[in-house]
Amino acid sequence: QVRLVESGGGLVQAGDSLRLSCAASGRTFTVYAMGWFRQAPGKEREFVAAITWSGGSTYYADSVKGRFTISRDNAKNTVYLQMNSLKPEDTAVYYCGAESWRTREYDDWGQGTQVTVSS
């Protein structure tokens, strides 16, 4: 099992920036990729961005391309999500997930961190 702890959420105004962090511990050698997802009230959880743990390949949802950047620090077992030019529609609980090499599914999740963007 991989334990994930997110931090960095908060209340900001439209156009501001935030950086989320996700610290991983436990069986991190089982991780193929780390991803960020978000869930707004009344909506399903949606993919935001992902990064492979070894090669560093990155993937983004169209809605955040050019505004969000995902990165990793393997030495710290930490993944970051730099969010710029935030919009009210980015308001959601942001979750960090770990994709397993074995299942290629996101098997482990953090507790989530709230991001609220006011207009």
Side-chain angles (χ1 to χ4, degrees):
Q1 185 179 5
V2 179
R3 182 169 180 260
L4 304 172
V5 179
E6 302 103 332
S7 61
L11 171 63
V12 296
Q13 293 186 332
D16 285 351
S17 298
L18 272 178
R19 188 177 82 154
L20 305 183
S21 299
C22 175
S25 60
R27 297 170 60 88
T28 56
F29 60 88
T30 64
V31 174
Y32 168 74
M34 299 283 288
W36 286 97
F37 293 73
R38 66 188 182 186
Q39 187 166 19
K43 295 187 177 181
E44 293 187 353
R45 188 175 297 189
E46 64 174 3
F47 170 78
V48 175
I51 185 167
T52 57
W53 204 239
S54 57
S57 298
T58 57
Y59 308 88
Y60 295 94
D62 288 343
S63 58
V64 306
K65 278 181 183 176
R67 299 188 299 123
F68 291 11
T69 302
I70 189 170
S71 62
R72 77 200 193 291
D73 184 334
N74 288 20
K76 295 182 178 180
N77 284 340
T78 300
V79 173
Y80 304 97
L81 185 68
Q82 177 67 42
M83 305 185 294
N84 298 329
S85 302
L86 282 161
K87 304 174 181 180
E89 50 264 44
D90 294 318
T91 295
V93 177
Y94 283 70
Y95 297 91
C96 175
E99 182 181 354
S100 162
W101 275 102
R102 183 176 64 86
T103 65
R104 297 303 298 272
E105 300 280 350
Y106 283 88
D107 293 332
D108 297 292
W109 295 91
Q111 81 287 355
T113 185
Q114 177 71 47
V115 173
T116 303
V117 184
S118 64
S119 57

